[in-house]
Amino acid sequence: MSSLHGLPEARARFVRGWFTENPTYVQLLGMCPTLAVTSTLPAAVTMAVATGVVLLCSNIITSLISRQLQPHLRILVYTLTIATFVTIVDRLLAAFAPAMSRQLGPYVPLIIVNCIIISRAEACASRQNLGTAVADALGQSGGFLLGLSSLGIVRELLGSGSLWGLPVLPENYPGMLIFVLPAGAFLTLGSLSGALNAIRMREKGTQ
Amino acid sequence: MFNPILSFLRQSWLVLGLASGLSAALAGVDFALRDRIAGNSQQRLETAVLDVVPDGASSTPVTIAGVTMYRVTDDSAAVCGWATPADGRGFQDRIRLMVGLSKDGSHVTGLTVLESNETPGLGDRIQQPQFRDQFVGQSTEHPFARVKPGESAPAPVDAITGATISSQAVITAVNSQIALIRQELAAQLDPSAESQP
């Protein structure tokens, strides 16, 4: 586990989070926010950034205390840490981005049970040093941002004909309602995930 | 000798310490942001009040017959209308509205949605002007009624296709709120009406 293709551990983990271990398309983790808040690009990006901040803070704390932590108390400590940072992020959004906070509704508090965060605490941060844990958090957050924003782009473009709230398609574009509704999230996720896996398979085949 | 208290502390000092530290952080964040968050929702309410009453410049909350209302005044501090929050059960969650009424409560001057978690693309179109503007300018004498194309009613409102329940929820909420305050508004403005049966 010390290195991948000769890269130092931290850099390898950072790179893997974006692509080969992308939380959305490869690990298929955190599906609740992935499907629920990606009907527009701004909501998708806000959710990914909020999750990323919590993941980073959680990985830092977990890595710092991992040596002192009693193994049978670790889930308790992960939950405590994550819940605290999620609440802080939720309050910050309510204070400085009230409209977005209303739009995301219950999905910000639900970051507490996002399995990406607890899986990184358990799989990486509790076994690695601080630098590696930070790189891992940044890589996974980047991958999550990539996943959510690609879904947000496709769904907002096809569903409402706009990007980041600005109309980009001709005004008479009717907007495909299904892409705004939850069913469109499943369709988009399935198609993008399938396309990505097809590309990866082909690359494997040519090597 | 086995000491249960020592054993407990040896295992849990980290959890206890973290819990205290994180709680303190939470308390600090709440203390720092509480006023700002409360201000945000207050400001949102005030914006909505002035939004539903044309020419409104400032508003004062008042309680008439147990109902919270906002007395809206124009630039010359004369009363130019009223705003009142209405509440209804939507398709998924509570819908909160702000209804604007003319000075004498005789017609609706505006309607805006404060809070709604209706289905995106369907029920949440109650927020669009195409739906909301149907109420504006209509008399409050008759309750609003949902109509299909071709039907007529004294106070017709076209429902949104695919969102009958959300549309009806808005209509019901507006109707019941207007019914609550119409009489009181008329009496307030015309003191002689109170003495006459």
Side-chain angles (χ1 to χ4, degrees), chain B residues 56-75:
Chain B
S58 69
S59 67
T60 342
V62 286
T63 308
I64 298 175
V67 185
T68 306
M69 299 188 55
Y70 296 87
R71 185 197 294 119
V72 185
T73 49
D74 61 14
D75 290 327

Side-chain angles (χ1 to χ4, degrees), chain B residues 33 53 60 66 131:
Chain B
L33 298 180
V53 179
T60 342
F131 178 73

Side-chain angles (χ1 to χ4, degrees), chain B residues 21-42:
Chain B
L22 294 174
S23 308
L26 269 186
V29 167
D30 183 61
F31 182 75
L33 298 180
R34 193 169 17 183
D35 292 344
R36 204 187 158 99
I37 293 171
N40 279 344
S41 56
Q42 185 61 33

Side-chain angles (χ1 to χ4, degrees), chain A residues 42-109:
Chain A
V45 170
T46 311
M47 173 53 75
V49 171
T51 310
V53 170
V54 175
L55 176 56
L56 182 64
C57 296
S58 151
N59 261 15
I60 290 174
I61 298 263
T62 308
S63 171
L64 286 177
I65 63 168
S66 57
R67 275 167 215 278
Q68 281 77 42
L69 187 59
Q70 297 279 338
H72 64 284
L73 292 175
R74 65 189 197 284
I75 301 292
L76 173 64
V77 168
Y78 298 159
T79 317
L80 186 71
T81 317
I82 295 167
T84 306
F85 287 115
V86 169
T87 312
I88 291 176
V89 167
D90 180 49
R91 293 293 82 194
L92 283 173
L93 274 179
F96 297 103
M100 184 50 79
S101 172
R102 267 197 316 282
Q103 195 190 335
L104 292 177
Y107 294 103
V108 175

Side-chain angles (χ1 to χ4, degrees), chain A residues 116-198:
Chain A
I116 297 174
I117 300 174
I118 204 159
S119 82
R120 293 333 290 175
E122 175 73 9
C124 172
S126 62
R127 293 145 205 249
Q128 303 286 345
N129 60 26
L130 184 61
T132 311
V134 167
D136 183 72
L138 292 177
Q140 294 287 330
S141 306
F144 194 52
L145 177 66
L146 210 64
L148 288 201
S149 48
S150 56
L151 278 164
I153 288 172
V154 171
R155 290 183 65 193
E156 192 179 342
L157 193 65
L158 296 180
S160 330
S162 61
L163 271 186
W164 204 271
L166 301 171
V168 287
L169 293 182
E171 198 155 305
N172 55 8
Y173 177 75
M176 284 191 262
L177 184 58
I178 192 164
F179 280 97
V180 182
L181 297 175
F186 283 103
L187 289 175
T188 315
L189 177 69
S191 316
L192 288 181
S193 185
L196 216 73
N197 279 325

Side-chain angles (χ1 to χ4, degrees), chain B residues 72-144:
Chain B
V72 185
T73 49
D74 61 14
D75 290 327
S76 56
V79 175
C80 62
W82 302 84
T84 177
D87 243 78
R89 265 194 302 179
F91 185 61
Q92 327 218 20
D93 202 351
R94 211 161 69 128
I95 298 176
R96 289 185 59 221
L97 309 161
M98 184 66 77
V99 187
L101 295 173
S102 59
K103 199 164 57 171
D104 54 359
S106 68
H107 62 269
V108 176
T109 56
L111 175 68
T112 173
V113 180
L114 288 174
E115 231 175 70
S116 122
N117 282 320
E118 300 303 284
T119 321
L122 295 170
D124 81 339
R125 283 162 63 199
I126 58 169
Q127 303 191 33
Q128 292 182 352
Q130 289 95 308
F131 178 73
R132 291 186 290 120
D133 287 352
Q134 296 184 78
F135 293 85
V136 179
Q138 294 225 49
S139 160
T140 55
E141 198 177 334
H142 303 281
F144 291 102

